């Protein structure tokens, strides 16, 4: 039901007017969904070469893509460079050396660790730089002459603790201050995904509060997000044919 997606985009724009959504393609790569979202002004979060190829095949401009995977294969970075996908995330020193070699002109977002214990799917166990390591990564990026353009984080899929979201925005502001003091032109905050329709009202209020508090308009930062399930989870119904059943504790001979 593409109409549901269209309505959810309107709700997003009403509740989070200052946050531009980049749909997480991995959540549901249906081409009709992607085309509708593109026509509604939504951009795209791609986590692989295949996802980038799919979005580009629909005639969507590469400037509307963030390659949002902190750890990438060198050949995928070459592909991104060749196709003018010039925004990505990183969270470790090895990735900086890789970017210097394969995509040195890419704009980089430093992904930081968040507290995501309340999330259904925790991502901090895999991705994100500890705050204690941020300064070293910024110094290395400076030495390699790479452009750090901002910060990204993800509080986990299906997150229910909005305090974690507020704390993550606060931490991002500290990293922004550090990066700007080192001469980086940091102007982009990526607040990640984890949004769901059921909790969107409270999450959006918490996020608006945090942005007003730590990233007011005069600070001069653009804000994006990576929603996935929020747009598509309620728009699809799975139908299947049951041809037999085995087991069960109740047998009704009248059926």
């Amino acid at each position: 039901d593409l109409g549901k997606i269209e309505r959810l985009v309107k709700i997003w724009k009403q509740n989070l007017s200052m946050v531009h959504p980049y749909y997480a393609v991995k959540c549901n790569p249906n081409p009709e969904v992607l085309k509708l979202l593109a026509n509604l002004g939504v951009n795209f979060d791609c986590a692989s070469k295949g996802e980038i190829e799919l979005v580009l095949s629909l005639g969507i401009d590469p400037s509307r893509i963030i390659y949002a995977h902190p750890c990438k294969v060198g050949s995928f970075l070459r592909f991104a460079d060749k196709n003018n996908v010039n925004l990505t995330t990183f969270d470790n020193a090895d990735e900086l050396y890789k970017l210097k070699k394969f995509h040195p002109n890419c704009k980089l977002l430093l992904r930081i660790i968040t507290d995501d214990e309340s999330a259904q799917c925790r991502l901090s166990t895999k991705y994100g730089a500890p705050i204690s390591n941020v300064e070293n990564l910024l110094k290395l990026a400076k030495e390699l002459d790479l452009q750090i353009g901002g910060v990204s984080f993800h509080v986990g899929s299906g997150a229910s603790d909005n305090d974690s979201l507020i704390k993550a925005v606060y931490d991002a502001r500290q990293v922004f201050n550090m990066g700007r003091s080192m001469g980086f032109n940091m102007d982009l905050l990526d607040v990640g995904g984890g949004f769901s329709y059921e909790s969107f009202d409270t999450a959006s209020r918490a996020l608006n509060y945090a942005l007003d508090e730590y990233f007011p308009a005069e600070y001069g930062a653009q804000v994006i997000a990576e929603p996935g399930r929020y747009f598509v989870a309620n728009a699809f119904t799975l139908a299947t044919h049951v041809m037999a059943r085995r087991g069960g504790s109740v047998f009704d001979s009248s059926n």
Side-chain angles (χ1 to χ4, degrees):
D1 184 349
L2 296 179
K4 287 187 177 181
I5 296 176
E6 189 168 358
R7 287 191 292 273
L8 288 169
V9 171
K10 290 180 180 178
I11 293 172
W12 179 284
K13 292 179 178 179
Q14 291 168 358
N15 287 31
L16 289 174
S17 59
M18 65 180 295
V19 182
H20 197 122
Y22 279 61
Y23 172 67
V25 175
K26 58 183 168 291
C27 185
N28 187 323
N30 183 293
E32 295 305 315
V33 169
L34 301 183
K35 286 187 283 188
L36 172 64
L37 289 171
N39 290 335
L40 294 174
V42 175
N43 290 346
F44 299 92
D45 152 20
C46 296
S48 68
K49 176 184 175 183
E51 291 177 12
I52 294 175
E53 287 177 320
L54 173 58
V55 172
L56 293 178
S57 73
L58 299 175
I60 297 167
D61 194 271
S63 65
R64 299 177 64 181
I65 296 173
I66 178 173
Y67 191 174
H69 197 305
C71 304
K72 297 168 284 294
V73 179
S75 61
F76 287 12
L77 283 172
R78 282 197 299 265
F79 174 82
D81 185 18
K82 181 180 179 181
N83 288 277
N84 298 312
V85 176
N86 298 319
L87 179 63
T88 193
T89 59
F90 79 99
D91 66 4
N92 63 81
D94 288 344
E95 199 71 8
L96 286 174
Y97 288 113
K98 203 185 304 177
L99 283 155
K100 178 64 177 178
K101 182 177 181 179
F102 298 114
H103 199 348
N105 297 315
C106 194
K107 183 174 182 176
L108 311 180
L109 302 183
L110 172 52
R111 179 160 172 171
I112 58 175
I113 278 183
T114 63
D115 177 8
D116 61 357
E117 287 189 1
S118 68
Q120 294 176 16
C121 179
R122 299 184 62 192
L123 298 177
S124 64
T125 56
K126 295 193 294 183
Y127 304 121
I131 296 298
S132 59
N133 198 34
V134 164
E135 185 176 3
N136 290 334
L137 289 173
L138 292 175
K139 287 180 178 178
L140 178 58
K142 179 66 70 173
E143 292 173 9
L144 295 174
D145 195 28
L146 295 171
Q147 53 171 322
I148 307 297
V151 175
S152 78
F153 63 78
H154 199 303
V155 294
S157 296
S160 59
D161 183 4
N162 291 321
D163 288 341
S164 297
L165 182 59
I166 295 171
K167 176 63 164 56
V169 175
Y170 168 82
D171 287 343
R173 172 61 188 266
Q174 308 316 305
V175 178
F176 263 75
N177 291 346
M178 191 184 305
R180 287 187 175 186
S181 71
M182 295 174 65
F184 290 109
N185 181 26
M186 298 178 69
D187 61 2
L188 184 60
L189 172 65
D190 180 356
V191 300
F195 301 93
S196 68
Y197 174 73
E198 293 76 15
S199 62
F200 183 67
D201 188 55
T202 55
S204 60
R205 285 203 302 268
L207 181 55
N208 279 324
Y209 164 79
L211 293 175
D212 288 342
E213 187 75 13
Y214 304 117
F215 286 89
E218 58 269 22
Y219 189 72
Q222 178 188 358
V223 185
I224 66 174
E226 302 168 2
R229 71 173 68 189
Y230 167 78
F231 286 133
V232 297
N234 294 320
F236 284 77
T237 300
L238 177 64
T240 186
H241 174 64
V242 179
M243 63 180 185
R245 186 180 71 169
R246 181 177 180 180
S249 58
V250 178
F251 176 73
D252 185 353
S253 59
S254 64
N255 290 335

